[in-house]
């Protein structure tokens, strides 16, 4: 234990010592030499060379990986494939200021340690809030020393000069390293874990190892007690039937909740990365149920979890078979010339592309469009931008995209899940490493995290087209620059009323990126900004009476060009935005009519009860 503690301290000393940066950078990048005098202003290239990152801190002989694939036998918390850390320059004067500040604070901390007067409450870090961290001077010092050094490293990252992408990559790398190197992640440095080990007489360690081995087989960390949920039993339980299916999807028609319904039905296009039931969790948190209660007819696409039989499918297949076909089926079943549509996240990108294809053909089967945390303009892709460059996209095209005669393969859903988890490493990775493995606990049952772990594979050709043409080259926003299903895609030809929603703390689709869809579209627009993040902001049912949302209260249907100008004029409203949306949808759904006696139609008879077979296919 003493040896590990000394190694850990020496690692953090290297972070603070500019004299070590060049040496560590050389260890991390063998064969690469820094120009003379450049090392003091480039501390970050050394991160990859520090011992223990991103390996598992606490079980000897178990090492981390950087594959990101997370398949059987690999650590479930292996970092996703990281781009190379670029060369960074920090202004010498700012670097000197930071070093002076660090030396002063380090001296004060050492003084407190010698007097045994370290107060961890001042750190305001919940990882070290348990009384056990104050039980011995060594534990208190380790926590305080870590926080000091992590803050210093983050300040160095903020001081970097360079282009936006370089700065973001360095910030992300520092965030990941600092999160992984916390003493709370080490069984030899975590007094809580040691206390559990002693009190359980070793049982916590045994359970922790069993949890680790089980997660290695799954390829990802268990974030929720999955035994607490069964799809179709206590989650995704809204009544309905599958009325159509093809290689990519099943189409669910839900049973009406009201004696009369709006004549124009609503078709929901959920993201194809995860299962559809994020929009139909438990009854009190179901957006589907809310729309049904409001008197709307609802259809939902349930995407297939990709396997080898559809590994060859392309983006055009998903637009044609995955969106255009369901639109036509819903029209036929309902007998209406126009329907309403909703796209969530990448489902919104696909929906808008499909409607632009239809507009190019002179067809206008949609009366309104709702886009939830969706991007059409990929100028600002948030933290995901750190992973994407030409080299990364080319590699994906070669390995799974079927390029140059290579066989197409699948983009594994577990890779998405692990990457998204590392966008919030302390909340979605390391706290589970500590609880599940160091303390041998079983996570609580949580429906949203259960859904989060139920990821979906995608065909490689489809994924790499999306990656290159949106995230890398941002071509969807340019009228006529892309062709889909044989048509030039021009989003400005979509002239239907559009409801745009963004989440204020969204780290996947920044709310300003959701707002940036507005100038690309034509027709009256409403924008709503919800509190919280990418998922929690969307799934905010009125029954919870939580959070708030922002909305322009005037009747002007033209949004300001500047999102900040919109926010300055918006009014904050308490509670859920869902009633505002259904009230808006009422205005585009036609008059109330009596619902048909049976679901489906003669041409599209019921295949099986909702939620259907496709959603039950898990990628274990």
């Amino acid at each position: 234990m003493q040896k590990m503690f000394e190694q850990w301290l020496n690692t953090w000393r290297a972070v603070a010592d500019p004299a070590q940066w060049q040496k560590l950078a050389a260890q991390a990048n063998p064969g690469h030499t820094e120009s003379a005098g450049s090392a003091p202003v480039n501390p970050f290239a050394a991160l990859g060379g520090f011992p223990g990152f991103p390996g598992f801190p606490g079980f000897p002989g178990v090492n981390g990986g950087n594959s990101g694939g997370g398949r059987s036998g690999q650590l479930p918390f292996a970092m996703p494939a990281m781009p190379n850390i670029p060369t960074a320059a920090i202004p010498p004067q700012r670097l000197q200021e930071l070093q002076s500040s660090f030396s002063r604070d380090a001296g004060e901390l050492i003084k407190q340690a010698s007097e045994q007067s370290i107060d961890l409450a001042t750190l305001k870090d919940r990882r070290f809030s348990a009384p056990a961290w104050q039980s011995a001077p060594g534990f208190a010092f380790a926590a305080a020393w870590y926080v000091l050094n992590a803050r210093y490293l983050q300040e160095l990252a903020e001081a970097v000069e360079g282009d936006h992408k370089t700065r973001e990559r360095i910030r992300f790398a520092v965030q990941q390293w600092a999160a992984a190197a916390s003493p709370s992640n080490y069984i030899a440095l975590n007094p809580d874990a040691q206390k559990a080990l002693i009190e359980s007489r070793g049982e916590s360690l045994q359970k922790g190892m069993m949890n680790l081995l089980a997660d290695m087989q799954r390829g990802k960390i268990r974030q929720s007690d999955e035994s607490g949920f069964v799809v179709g039993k206590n989650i995704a339980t809204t009544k309905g039937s599958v009325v159509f299916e093809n290689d990519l999807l099943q189409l669910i028609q839900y049973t009406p909740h009201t004696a009369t319904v709006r004549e124009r039905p609503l078709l929901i296009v959920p993201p194809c990365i995860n299962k559809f039931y994020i929009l139909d969790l438990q009854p009190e948190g179901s957006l589907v149920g809310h729309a049904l209660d409001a008197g709307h007819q609802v259809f939902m696409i349930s995407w297939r979890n990709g396997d080898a039989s559809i590994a060859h499918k392309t983006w055009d297949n998903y637009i044609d078979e995955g969106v255009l076909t369901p639109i036509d089926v819903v029209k036929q079943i309902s007998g209406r010339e126009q329907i309403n549509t909703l796209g969530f996240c990448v489902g919104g990108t696909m929906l808008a592309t499909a409607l632009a294809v239809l507009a190019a053909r002179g067809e206008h089967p949609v009366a309104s469009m709702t886009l939830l945390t969706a991007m059409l303009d990929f100028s600002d892709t948030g933290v995901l931008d750190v992973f994407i460059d030409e080299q990364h996209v080319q590699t994906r095209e070669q390995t799974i995209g079927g390029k140059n005669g290579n066989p197409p393969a699948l983009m594994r859903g577990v890779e998405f899940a692990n990457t998204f988890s590392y966008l919030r490493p302390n909340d979605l990775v390391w706290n589970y490493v500590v609880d599940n493995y160091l303390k041998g606990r079983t996570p609580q049952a949580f429906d949203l995290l259960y859904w989060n772990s139920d990821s979906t594979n995608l065909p490689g050709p489809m994924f790499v087209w999306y990656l290159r043409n949106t995230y890398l080259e941002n071509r969807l926003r340019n009228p006529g620059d892309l062709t889909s299903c044989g048509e030039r895609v021009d989003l400005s030809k979509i002239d239907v009323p559009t409801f745009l929603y963004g989440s204020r703390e969204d780290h996947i689709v920044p709310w300003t990126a959701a707002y940036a869809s507005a100038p690309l579209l034509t027709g009256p627009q409403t924008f709503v900004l919800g509190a919280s993040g990418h998922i929690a902001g969307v799934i905010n049912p009125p029954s919870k009476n939580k959070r708030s949302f922002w909305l322009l209260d005037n009747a002007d249907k033209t949004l300001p060009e500047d999102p900040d100008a919109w926010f300055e004029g918006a009014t904050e409203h308490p509670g859920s935005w869902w009633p505002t949306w259904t009230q808006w949808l009422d205005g585009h759904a036609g008059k109330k009519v009596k619902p048909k006696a049976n679901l489906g139609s003669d041409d599209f008879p019921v295949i099986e009860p909702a939620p259907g077979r496709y959603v039950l296919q898990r990628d274990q």
Side-chain angles (χ1 to χ4, degrees):
M1 184 179 298
Q2 181 65 28
K3 184 178 180 181
M4 176 175 287
F5 182 60
E6 290 176 356
Q7 182 186 27
W8 182 84
L9 284 178
N10 288 336
T11 297
W12 278 110
R13 289 191 185 103
V15 172
D17 183 4
Q20 298 293 319
W21 292 345
Q22 190 168 8
K23 175 182 176 182
L24 289 167
Q27 293 175 356
N29 301 282
H32 175 74
T33 57
E34 300 276 359
S35 60
S38 65
V41 293
N42 185 24
F44 305 106
L47 288 182
F50 288 146
F53 179 71
F56 182 57
F59 289 104
V62 181
N63 298 311
N66 202 33
S67 66
R71 303 311 299 156
S72 177
Q74 296 180 355
L75 286 181
F77 47 87
M79 276 285 295
M82 280 284 292
N84 292 327
I85 301 173
T87 299
I90 299 175
Q93 182 177 355
R94 178 58 178 155
L95 180 62
Q96 186 176 7
E97 290 173 357
L98 291 175
Q99 290 171 350
S100 297
S101 176
F102 173 82
S103 298
R104 182 182 63 252
D105 292 344
E108 177 62 25
L109 175 59
I110 292 172
K111 178 183 177 182
Q112 292 177 9
S114 65
E115 297 173 354
Q116 298 188 16
S117 61
I118 296 175
D119 182 6
L120 296 184
T122 62
L123 300 182
K124 298 180 181 179
D125 191 319
R126 61 185 176 86
R127 289 173 293 182
F128 313 116
S129 60
W133 285 95
Q134 204 81 54
S135 63
F139 292 131
F141 177 75
W145 179 250
Y146 161 76
V147 170
L148 171 63
N149 281 272
R151 186 180 71 233
Y152 172 60
L153 197 57
Q154 290 162 359
E155 289 173 342
L156 287 174
E158 292 298 326
V160 166
E161 290 183 333
D163 62 90
H164 176 76
K165 196 177 188 79
T166 295
R167 290 167 57 88
E168 287 302 311
R169 283 188 166 180
I170 288 175
R171 287 192 190 104
F172 185 78
V174 167
Q175 177 195 31
Q176 300 307 315
W177 195 87
S182 168
S184 58
N185 301 333
Y186 293 72
I187 197 168
L189 303 178
N190 187 324
D192 268 348
Q194 294 177 20
K195 181 181 179 182
L197 179 65
I198 294 171
E199 292 179 349
S200 68
R201 298 184 180 183
E203 186 177 356
S204 64
L205 180 61
Q206 180 184 24
K207 288 183 176 179
M209 289 300 296
M210 296 301 295
N211 289 341
L212 174 62
L213 293 173
D215 285 357
M216 289 174 68
Q217 293 298 315
R218 298 172 71 248
K220 52 190 174 184
I221 296 174
R222 192 180 304 271
Q223 298 172 328
S224 172
D225 181 5
E226 297 184 2
S227 65
F229 299 103
V230 178
V231 175
K233 298 296 184 182
N234 62 353
I235 199 169
T237 59
T238 302
K239 291 184 179 180
S241 298
V242 175
V243 294
F244 173 80
E245 66 183 31
N246 59 25
D247 286 345
L248 297 182
L249 62 89
Q250 288 189 317
L251 181 65
I252 299 170
Q253 181 183 12
Y254 289 99
T255 303
H257 283 190
T258 53
T260 60
V261 295
R262 297 286 179 174
E263 61 180 344
R264 288 196 190 110
L266 170 68
L267 170 64
I268 299 178
V269 184
C272 51
I273 294 174
N274 284 85
K275 302 295 178 62
F276 78 86
Y277 62 83
I278 185 60
L279 298 172
D280 185 31
L281 290 170
Q282 298 181 74
E284 64 273 13
S286 171
L287 183 63
V288 170
H290 178 77
L292 291 167
D293 290 341
H296 291 276
Q297 303 178 68
V298 181
F299 290 78
M300 171 74 76
I301 289 174
S302 171
W303 297 106
R304 181 178 180 181
N305 187 3
D307 57 23
S309 68
I310 64 168
H312 63 284
K313 293 287 187 176
T314 65
W315 175 262
D316 279 3
N317 292 137
Y318 269 72
I319 299 303
D320 186 11
E321 303 167 40
V323 184
L324 297 180
T325 296
I327 288 175
D328 185 59
V329 172
V330 173
K331 284 177 55 186
Q332 292 187 55
I333 291 176
S334 65
R336 303 298 172 183
E337 292 185 1
Q338 287 191 316
I339 66 173
N340 293 303
T341 54
L342 181 152
F344 182 12
C345 192
V346 65
T349 310
M350 297 167 68
L351 174 61
T353 302
L355 296 189
V357 168
L358 290 171
R361 295 173 179 173
E363 301 174 23
H364 304 278
V366 167
S368 76
M369 175 171 66
T370 297
L371 298 178
L372 306 181
T373 62
M375 280 194 290
L376 304 182
D377 183 339
F378 287 74
S379 299
D380 179 10
T381 56
V383 71
L384 288 176
D385 186 58
V386 303
F387 293 103
I388 300 167
D389 56 19
E390 180 64 34
Q391 180 182 0
H392 174 79
V393 174
Q394 285 188 10
T395 299
R396 291 294 191 181
E397 289 171 337
Q398 292 283 352
T399 55
I400 65 174
K403 190 175 182 180
N404 296 335
N406 294 319
L410 296 173
M411 175 62 189
R412 310 299 306 197
V414 68
E415 291 194 56
F416 287 121
N418 288 344
T419 298
F420 288 143
S421 290
Y422 271 99
L423 301 183
R424 293 169 53 197
N426 286 326
D427 293 332
L428 296 178
V429 180
W430 295 108
N431 63 321
Y432 292 105
V433 169
V434 172
D435 279 355
N436 297 6
Y437 310 150
L438 301 190
K439 299 180 182 179
R441 297 174 179 172
T442 300
Q444 295 182 345
F446 186 16
D447 55 1
L448 198 151
L449 288 177
Y450 174 84
W451 166 84
N452 189 56
S453 70
D454 195 4
S455 51
T456 304
N457 303 325
L458 291 179
M462 176 268 188
F463 172 71
V464 298
W465 189 99
Y466 173 64
L467 199 62
R468 174 171 291 282
N469 289 287
T470 59
Y471 275 90
L472 182 64
E473 298 180 359
N474 194 17
R475 298 175 62 193
L476 185 60
R477 68 174 179 174
N478 302 323
D481 197 17
L482 288 178
T483 298
S484 184
C485 301
E487 306 292 346
R488 292 286 181 182
V489 176
D490 184 352
L491 298 176
S492 68
K493 293 184 177 180
I494 304 175
D495 61 356
V496 300
T498 302
F499 185 101
L500 300 161
Y501 170 86
S503 289
R504 192 176 184 187
E505 300 167 27
D506 196 335
H507 57 291
I508 296 174
V509 179
W511 79 265
T512 51
Y515 191 93
S517 298
L520 305 179
L521 304 168
T522 309
Q525 297 168 349
T526 299
F527 185 81
V528 168
L529 177 63
S532 196
H534 188 68
I535 299 299
V538 173
I539 310 305
N540 184 25
S543 61
K544 300 292 186 180
N545 195 27
K546 294 174 62 177
R547 307 188 183 98
S548 61
F549 64 96
W550 289 260
L551 176 71
L552 286 181
D553 292 330
N554 59 47
D556 188 359
K557 298 300 182 182
T558 302
L559 296 174
E561 184 175 341
D562 183 3
D564 291 329
W566 175 91
F567 187 75
E568 288 179 6
T571 301
E572 184 176 5
H573 300 268
S576 171
W577 59 270
W578 288 11
T580 299
W581 168 67
T582 47
Q583 183 179 4
W584 174 89
L585 189 62
D586 289 345
H588 307 290
K591 65 179 184 294
K592 294 182 178 181
V593 298
K594 186 176 181 179
K596 294 181 179 180
N598 299 307
L599 301 182
S601 66
D602 291 341
D603 292 332
F604 299 98
V606 169
I607 297 173
E608 61 185 355
R613 306 185 313 281
Y614 284 14
V615 74
L616 302 179
Q617 298 169 349
R618 290 181 67 92
D619 186 37
Q620 298 288 7

